[in-house]
Amino acid sequence: MKAFLSVLFLIAVFFSSVASGENLKLYLPFTYPGSLGKFELNRPVEESKVVIGYGGKRYTFKGEKGAKEVFFVIPYGVQKGVFSLSLYENGRRKFFKLERVRPKHYRVSKIWVKTRPLKGELLQRVIREGRLLRRILHQVTPKKFHEDKLYPPLKKLSISTPFGAKRIINGKKRSIHWGTDFRAKRGTPVFASLSGKVVLARRLYFTGNTVVIDHGLGIHTLYAHLSKITVREGQRVRAGQVIGKVGSTGRSTGPHLHFGFYVEGERVDPMIVMKEKL
Ligand SMILES: [Zn+2]
């Protein structure tokens, strides 16, 4: 196994040196599960995609047609060892590299909430909303932001539950926390983190009053459990604009902001993105 890996590394070194001649820039400051990465191309490319290979699985991030940058994520499922990173331009592989993922420790938390059994009309609603969210989060549209850093969604950021935490709900159901929870009082203003277009502003069963903003290039941010939404679907917003107020709607144990960051539906650790230049 060890010898096999070293051979893979040698191949990777060879391909990286090939890629450098192509004038490509790769930004990947962190290699934790949930880290954000970006390729900068030296010219607009008709069809580009980034593929992450890990344990026989392929995760594909397609670029926006004619864009000069392609964002991707080290998926949460990539937990240890080595993954491959490839960039394709018009069907041809232009870059290949092997990277080692930096393991992260995730906290296990137990929460107790009142739940109704999911059946009948309620189950149908949850399935419908899940489909709607998936469809929205996978959309890749032209770039809508010019900022190179995230605007914090709250004036004061105090984390209560980090990204990736494993949850035991009512003593049994385990789920993974796909965002960052920030403590805040009910009514605290919530800001858009990047400029974009509001693509969802409505009440959902699990996330309560929810806003999703499309920033283009496959990037979306999600703001959940709001007491009040102050934007409407289809509206353009700029980074730092108030989009709603902190609350505890949906399945929630008290007022807080749940903040999610996605690239083509793949979950990103918002706190890693906060430290990065976009
Ligand atoms: Zn949360």
Side-chain angles (χ1 to χ4, degrees), residues 160-162 167 176-182 207 224-225 251 256-260:
S160 56
T161 309
R167 281 182 152 175
I176 292 164
H177 190 235
W178 294 128
T180 305
D181 283 353
F182 299 109
T207 50
H225 309 302
R251 196 165 73 180
H256 72 284
L257 172 68
H258 172 99
F259 178 56

Side-chain angles (χ1 to χ4, degrees), residues 154-161 180-184 256-257 271:
L154 295 171
K155 213 170 184 176
K156 217 185 104 210
L157 296 181
S158 159
I159 299 173
S160 56
T161 309
T180 305
D181 283 353
F182 299 109
R183 283 178 204 99
H256 72 284
L257 172 68
M271 295 319 285

